[in-house]
RNA sequence: UGCCUCAUGGUGUAAUGGUAACACAGCAGAUUCUGAAUCUGUUAUUCAAGGUUCGAAUCCUUGUGAGGCAACCA
């Protein structure tokens, strides 16, 4: 029996169900065409990853009769920059998706969009309005009262055409005139109260330069761009739900469109202990509250990547969270699970001691050095092994020793015994302190009969197994310990309307250990490689700050810690 | 104050009128040269009230709660 027959098909989310129904009904000639349409005004974050996995995922699932376009929604030149275009393309690729030849820009359609606007004017469905922004706002009415149509709404087609052409020519100042759709000033949907289609912006555009001084609004450009690309399913987040009637109005009132897409909305991703809006992320960067867009604490794709989170983990996470219209708040633990699951498979193990205590093996020869074989991966023999040196003086993790152990602590304690993993067992004979009472050294004896996992003769085998690093051979390396950026689950909500979310910034979100003691093999850790420091956490050799023979490590995520102090 | 959308364990989702299930988190145990991983077990769920029906998480009504909407932003 084939595997496909044995496993029940994964349940479809409401979007995939809709698409399946379209396909079953023979719509769109059996094609599925989606698009990921970011505005290049910031860096992509994990919320975008959800949309990317959906749109590009759909294209993969329905291959070969499907594709996903990458389209830059660059209709507001005052906010957009090439830097963002470049980073977005890099991030989508890194996530493992490929738009092939289907790279587009809304700005590529400016001429066509302009012609469609003239068409709407000719049909009497659009007019040039001279009202000020303030007048327009006043005449729009409120949520409970209808609006009043502009006194300019009755201009003739010829006059509108003339005015619109002169808008394009640059005869007017910004704000002087605007092109509006003529729909319904009394609509319960504010977006249908004669929405603006074009505004005057004497601004330089990152792609069209100074060719244009009128720019289409999102609500106008988006549906028509979708149609021009023969998009079949235009998927966006819930806040655009209210825009849908306008989307449909444009699609049905403009003639000569090659496609007739429809829009559906899903809930955006919210994650605990972070913020997701571009505006807030921009603020963190601009005010130097983090170290740039790719700060490993940021929820940006570039930040996650630099933290050491893999594309596979992000894709798996996006699969787990599903797709609904429910405005949810996902626990960061779900992401961490996906990260650990992937990193556990791919990371080689090594020893790193973050907060060292010196251990002296009093019965070990002063000059002696020996090497112990250590497996690179406990569940993957093909990962091979390495030789880890050991000498009389070692470092162990300060957490692994307790002078006055609490119940259930089975690491090293005075008079107690632990195993040095892959080496032998040691017993703590003496605790040396300085004048201030700080522990400076542990004097231990080792048991030569306990090599290679053998249990001590005539005794029960110690429960504690700890990692260690030879003092003489250890390398020093900077290690950055990252933690959640905020101290509360919902910094935006807790700050409230007028509050400042930055008050909840976690001051301990970054701790730098300048000189962690690492096993010597880690000296060769290539930038951009993933490691598990056994019993500590997953780390990533920073691809930017690491130098040859001088790696710098970022903590990606800690290991789960099943030991609860009693 | 009007309209639109949504509501299933602590969290995220499934069940498409017919036994409320899965993952994460939690807890307990087994196992372990990582207190990890793995394996086993386990706690805990249909917003409320009515109605339709042999039967409702699902359909209807009302209520409650949450989110969205009045840029020449996207």
């Amino acid at each position: 029996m084939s595997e496909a027959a044995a496993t029940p098909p994964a349940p479809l989310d409401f979007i995939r169900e809709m698409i399946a129904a379209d396909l079953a009904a023979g719509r769109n000639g059996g094609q599925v065409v989606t698009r990921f349409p970011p505005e290049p005004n910031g860096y992509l974050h994990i919320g975008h990853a959800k949309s990317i996995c959906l749109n590009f995922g759909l294209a993969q699932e329905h291959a070969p009769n499907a594709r996903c376009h990458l389209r830059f929604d660059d209709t507001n030149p005052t906010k957009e920059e090439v830097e963002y275009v470049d980073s977005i393309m890099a991030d989508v690729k890194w996530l493992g998706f490929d738009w092939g030849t289907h790279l587009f820009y809304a700005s590529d359609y400016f001429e066509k969009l302009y012609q469609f606007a003239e068409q709407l004017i000719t049909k009497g469905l659009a007019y040039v309005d001279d009202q000020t922004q303030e007048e327009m706002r006043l005449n729009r009415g409120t949520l409970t009262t209808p609006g009043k149509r502009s006194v300019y709404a009755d201009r003739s087609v010829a006059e509108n055409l003339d005015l619109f052409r002169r808008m394009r020519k640059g005869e007017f100042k910004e704000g002087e005139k605007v092109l509006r759709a003529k729909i319904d000033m009394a609509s319960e949907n504010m977006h249908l109260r004669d929405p603006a289609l074009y505004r005057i912006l004497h601004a330089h555009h990152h792609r069209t330069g100074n060719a244009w001084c009128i720019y289409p609004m999102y609500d106008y450009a988006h549906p028509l761009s979708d149609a021009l690309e023969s998009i079949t399913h235009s998927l966006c987040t819930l806040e655009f739900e209210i825009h849908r009637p306008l989307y449909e109005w444009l699609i049905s009132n403009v003639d000569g469109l090659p496609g007739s897409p429809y829009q559906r909305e899903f809930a955006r991703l919210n994650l605990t202990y972070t913020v997701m809006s571009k505006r807030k992320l921009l603020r963190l960067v601009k005010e130097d509250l983090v170290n740039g867009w790719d700060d490993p604490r940021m929820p940006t794709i570039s930040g996650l990547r630099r933290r050491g989170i893999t594309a596979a983990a992000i894709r798996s996470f996006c699969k787990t969270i599903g797709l609904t219209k429910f405005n949810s708040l996902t626990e960061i633990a779900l992401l961490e699970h996906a990260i650990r699951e992937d990193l556990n498979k791919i990371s080689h193990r090594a020893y790193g001691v973050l907060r060292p205590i010196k251990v002296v093996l009093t019965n070990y020869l002063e000059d002696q050095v020996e090497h112990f074989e250590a497996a690179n991966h406990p569940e993957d023999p093909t990962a091979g092994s390495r030789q880890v040196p050991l000498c009389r003086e070692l470092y162990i993790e300060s957490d692994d020793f307790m002078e006055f152990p609490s119940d259930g602590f089975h690491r090293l304690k005075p008079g107690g015994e632990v195993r040095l993993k892959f080496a032998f067992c040691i017993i703590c004979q003496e605790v040396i302190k300085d004048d201030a009472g700080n522990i400076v050294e542990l004097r231990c004896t080792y048991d030569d009969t306990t090599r290679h996992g053998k249990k001590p003769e005539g005794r029960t085998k110690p429960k504690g197994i700890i990692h260690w690093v030879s003092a003489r051979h250890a390398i020093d390396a900077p290690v950055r310990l990252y933690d959640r950026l905020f101290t509360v689950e919902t910094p935006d909500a807790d700050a409230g309307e007028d509050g400042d979310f930055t008050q909840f910034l976690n001051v301990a979100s970054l701790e730098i250990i300048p000189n962690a003691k690492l096993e010597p093999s880690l000296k060769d850790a290539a930038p951009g490689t993933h490691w598990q420091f056994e019993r500590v956490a997953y780390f990533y050799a920073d691809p930017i700050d690491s130098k040859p023979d001088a790696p710098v490590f970022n903590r990606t995520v800690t290991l789960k810690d099943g030991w609860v102090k009693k």
Side-chain angles (χ1 to χ4, degrees):
Chain A
M1 211 204 295
S2 77
E3 207 174 304
T7 53
L12 299 182
D13 55 67
F14 76 106
I15 297 275
R16 276 174 245 256
E17 261 176 13
M18 230 174 310
I19 293 175
D22 287 341
L23 257 16
R27 283 192 273 271
N28 304 313
Q31 291 278 311
V32 175
V33 186
T34 57
R35 100 269 93 107
F36 174 62
E39 182 189 18
N41 68 343
Y43 279 63
L44 259 27
H45 54 65
I46 188 157
H48 294 107
K50 178 177 180 179
S51 175
I52 292 168
C53 288
L54 201 220
N55 283 294
F56 282 95
L58 246 16
Q60 289 175 345
E61 289 158 32
H62 294 282
N65 301 314
R67 59 179 196 267
C68 178
H69 297 184
L70 174 62
R71 179 172 72 233
F72 288 99
D73 225 328
D74 54 351
T75 56
N76 185 354
T78 64
K79 287 189 175 173
E80 297 151 7
E81 293 173 28
V82 251
E83 177 199 349
Y84 298 132
V85 172
D86 296 341
S87 77
I88 289 168
M89 290 200 281
D91 287 348
V92 173
K93 272 189 196 155
W94 177 78
L95 274 173
F97 297 104
D98 182 12
W99 53 86
T101 57
H102 308 289
L103 173 65
F104 303 99
Y105 296 81
S107 54
D108 289 343
Y109 310 132
F110 281 173
E111 183 59 40
K112 280 179 180 162
L113 294 173
Y114 174 85
Q115 296 301 334
F116 288 141
E118 286 207 354
Q119 181 195 128
L120 287 173
I121 292 172
T122 307
K123 286 178 168 179
L125 294 175
Y127 61 93
V128 173
D129 196 348
D130 295 5
Q131 290 183 109
T132 64
Q133 238 177 110
E134 179 65 7
E135 287 169 327
M136 272 182 69
R137 193 178 61 77
L138 258 25
N139 287 333
R140 186 152 29 228
T142 70
L143 294 173
T144 51
T145 56
K148 256 202 332 265
R149 183 150 273 163
S150 168
V151 293
Y152 302 99
D154 295 324
R155 297 214 251 231
S156 69
V157 167
E159 186 184 0
N160 278 320
L161 232 31
D162 174 60
L163 255 15
F164 188 49
R165 286 170 184 163
R166 288 166 57 198
M167 278 169 68
R168 176 181 183 167
K169 275 190 221 152
E171 291 186 21
F172 307 111
K173 291 199 287 283
E174 287 188 13
E176 231 179 292
K177 287 189 167 35
V178 62
L179 184 74
R180 291 229 258 170
K182 199 177 207 174
I183 307 181
D184 179 6
M185 289 304 292
S187 173
E188 279 156 347
N189 185 339
M190 300 298 288
H191 294 270
L192 258 22
R193 321 250 264 224
D194 290 9
L197 265 25
Y198 269 90
R199 79 286 212 182
I200 298 170
L201 246 30
H202 292 282
H204 183 267
H205 186 281
H206 67 102
R207 298 195 81 240
T208 59
N210 298 319
W212 293 86
C213 64
I214 56 171
Y215 289 91
M217 302 289 293
Y218 162 86
D219 276 320
Y220 176 75
H222 202 89
L224 299 179
S225 300
D226 281 347
L228 285 170
E229 293 174 19
S230 294
I231 299 296
T232 56
H233 304 271
S234 185
L235 310 174
C236 60
T237 45
L238 246 29
E239 67 269 28
F240 293 102
E241 201 161 31
I242 194 100
H243 297 239
R244 189 151 110 197
L246 179 52
Y247 185 103
E248 290 168 349
W249 186 89
L250 260 335
I251 295 297
S252 57
N253 281 297
V254 172
D255 298 327
L257 296 173
S260 56
Y262 70 74
Q263 171 185 305
R264 285 297 180 274
E265 312 81 13
F266 60 90
R268 68 183 325 141
L269 171 67
N270 298 297
L271 265 185
T272 54
Y273 298 103
T274 191
V275 292
M276 213 75 100
S277 88
K278 272 189 190 172
R279 215 189 77 245
K280 293 194 174 83
L281 296 177
L282 181 67
R283 193 175 151 204
L284 292 173
V285 172
K286 294 286 185 219
E287 294 181 17
D288 292 320
L289 298 168
V290 295
N291 302 315
W293 287 101
D294 67 344
D295 185 300
R297 293 166 293 181
M298 292 280 274
T300 50
I301 303 296
S302 49
L304 298 171
R305 175 169 61 226
R306 190 151 182 201
R307 174 111 167 213
I309 290 157
T310 59
I314 295 175
R315 279 186 255 117
S316 153
F317 170 70
C318 288
K319 198 169 285 181
T320 309
I321 57 175
L323 196 70
T324 66
K325 299 185 76 163
F326 176 61
N327 214 300
S328 60
L329 176 65
T330 300
E331 285 180 351
I332 194 77
L334 230 54
L335 209 212
E336 290 177 349
H337 171 75
I339 296 168
R340 291 190 185 105
E341 193 175 42
D342 188 47
L343 256 20
N344 178 46
K345 278 187 303 201
I346 66 168
S347 303
H348 281 197
R349 315 287 132 122
Y351 290 161
V353 174
L354 268 29
R355 297 180 172 84
I357 316 185
K358 184 179 275 186
V359 166
V360 177
L361 304 179
T362 53
N363 59 340
Y364 200 89
L365 265 37
E366 188 79 46
D367 300 328
Q368 191 178 343
V369 173
E370 62 185 310
H371 288 77
F372 289 91
E373 181 175 22
N376 289 331
H377 197 296
E379 287 152 17
D380 178 13
T382 66
S385 64
R386 63 197 189 279
Q387 299 292 321
V388 184
L390 177 144
C391 67
R392 191 170 192 263
E393 296 194 347
L394 312 168
Y395 293 114
I396 67 166
E397 206 71 62
S398 60
D399 278 358
D400 286 338
F401 175 78
M402 275 182 100
E403 191 177 11
F404 305 104
S406 50
D407 281 353
F409 181 80
H410 49 246
R411 278 107 90 162
L412 195 59
K413 54 194 168 196
E417 182 172 38
V418 284
R419 168 169 293 286
L420 299 181
K421 192 174 177 190
F422 292 128
F424 38 57
C425 297
I426 62 171
I427 296 176
C428 176
Q429 308 289 2
E430 197 182 344
V431 179
I432 311 289
K433 296 181 180 177
D434 62 15
D435 294 341
N438 303 308
I439 298 172
V440 291
E441 186 179 305
L442 267 17
R443 297 180 79 78
C444 303
T445 52
Y446 83 101
D447 181 344
D448 202 62
T449 68
T450 58
R451 290 163 185 276
H452 309 298
K454 279 211 249 359
K455 81 178 181 102
E457 277 176 58
R459 284 171 278 143
T460 53
K461 82 178 186 186
K463 277 188 179 164
I465 300 163
I466 64 173
H467 60 284
W468 49 275
V469 168
S470 166
R472 197 183 303 166
H473 304 90
I475 63 159
D476 284 356
V479 169
R480 302 133 158 185
L481 305 181
Y482 294 103
D483 203 347
R484 48 181 62 135
L485 230 199
F486 293 92
T487 55
V488 296
E489 285 197 334
T490 52
D492 331 74
D494 291 11
E497 284 286 297
D498 311 308
D500 184 355
F501 70 98
T502 62
Q503 67 181 293
F504 299 115
L505 244 8
N506 178 12
V507 292
S509 60
L510 170 58
E511 180 188 354
I512 298 174
I513 295 184
N515 290 306
K517 302 291 182 187
L518 310 182
E519 70 164 76
S521 73
L522 246 13
K523 188 176 170 193
D524 303 318
T529 50
H530 303 273
W531 299 87
Q532 185 199 96
F533 293 1
E534 285 205 41
R535 304 206 312 121
V536 179
Y538 291 100
F539 289 88
Y540 185 56
D542 190 283
I544 295 166
D545 296 328
S546 295
K547 297 286 172 280
D549 296 335
V552 175
F553 290 95
N554 301 333
R555 183 173 71 191
T556 308
V557 65
T558 59
L559 256 27
K560 276 182 72 172
D561 188 359
W563 183 57
V564 279
K565 259 183 219 167
K566 287 178 186 115

